Amino acid sequence: MKRTRSIVRGIGSYLPKRKLTNQDLEKLVDTSHEWIVQRTGIEERYIADDSETTSILGIKAAEAALADAGLRADDIDLVICATSTPDYTFPSTATMIQTGIGMTHGAAFDLQAVCTGFVYAVATADKFLRSGSHKRALVVGAETFSRILDWNDRTTCVLFGDGAGALVLEAQEGEGTSADRGVLTSHLRSDGRYRDKLYVDGGPGSTKTTGVLKMEGKEVFKFAVGMVADVVQDAFKATGTSAEELDWFVPHQANRRIITASADKLGIAQEKVVITVNKHGNTSAASIPLALDAARKDGRIKDGDLVMIEAIGGGFTWGSALIRW
Ligand code: UT7
């Protein structure tokens, strides 16, 4: 049966100018390049300066995605920005991106699911497009986590970086099979009981401050692999596809060990796994579109490829989406 699909029309990303290496971090906190690489796989990350706000990063990524799609702002009628580090409490970063790209019509809103934000945003945009209410969505993941880190806490400050990525999704009619292009399925989960494992200790409605990130890394790690495997299996089941048919596994980039263990658990060959955590660190909601853009631009992801994205983040939130490019 024919059905509307949200197909990928374009992708883009943007990184701040300043690169921060593990060697640079050795001068800031009691850590070592060897420890960071061995425990996380991270070698370097990018840190935004004061002028590079989340919306600025998001605008640059959105412009790159529009150029890749061969579209103009006029062609877009929905902007969703996944972020936990908005420029302001309000207005939304999405409306700032909307203005920044020169778009004065349609709707724009932020979506907050921490590191799972981009998967949530893709799933949300897909539902808008499939409902027929909107035609083309700009889905942005943009973050400046460097602003909410405790730079004296070596257990967290070495892990994160800043950046942004964006996808243009367009409603098109498909045949209703897993051979269709577009978002084939998405699966979102959350469980607020795990709130204290990964959170920011401030906010406008509680402390009236921004707060800093707190994480029980080992605990998050323990849950991550099982949660990821569950939602990825859900996506395979819903579409009648399998790990063997997958062309690319593009997980949230938090830790190379979590990524590798998840792929092994799911029976996904390591050569199908896209890893950028070494270059970007954990950029929260931006990590998946940054990784997708890297793999698209270097020729790995080709039209027609089956691509699984998945993430876990604060909340906990977790989710997956299966996309035929
Ligand atoms: O994006 C949202 C999802 N977040 C994640 O997926 C993060 C999940 N967790 C992780 O990636 C890992 O748990 C970490 C990378 C955060 C930590 O790795 P770990 O293997 O779980 O290390 P640990 O926390 O058990 O720490 C081991 C040791 C400790 O020392 P002792 O107690 O054994 O003496 C830490 O104090 O490493 C020490 N340590 C460090 N040493 C050097 C912690 N941070 C550092 C550091 N440099 N930066």
Side-chain angles (χ1 to χ4, degrees), residues 89 200-212:
T89 302
V200 169
D201 67 355
S206 53
T207 58
K208 295 180 236 160
T209 61
T210 307
V212 291

Side-chain angles (χ1 to χ4, degrees), residues 36-90:
I36 301 171
V37 170
Q38 193 203 3
R39 301 292 176 126
T40 72
I42 300 168
E43 291 161 31
E44 55 195 33
R45 74 288 286 143
Y46 292 81
I47 304 293
D49 68 25
D50 289 349
S51 70
E52 295 170 313
T53 61
T54 299
S55 69
I56 297 286
L57 303 182
I59 289 164
K60 303 256 194 204
E63 286 172 343
L66 283 174
D68 186 50
L71 295 169
R72 296 174 308 132
D74 282 352
D75 301 317
I76 304 295
D77 53 7
L78 179 66
V79 179
I80 304 178
C81 179
T83 188
S84 302
T85 46
D87 288 17
Y88 300 100
T89 302
F90 75 80

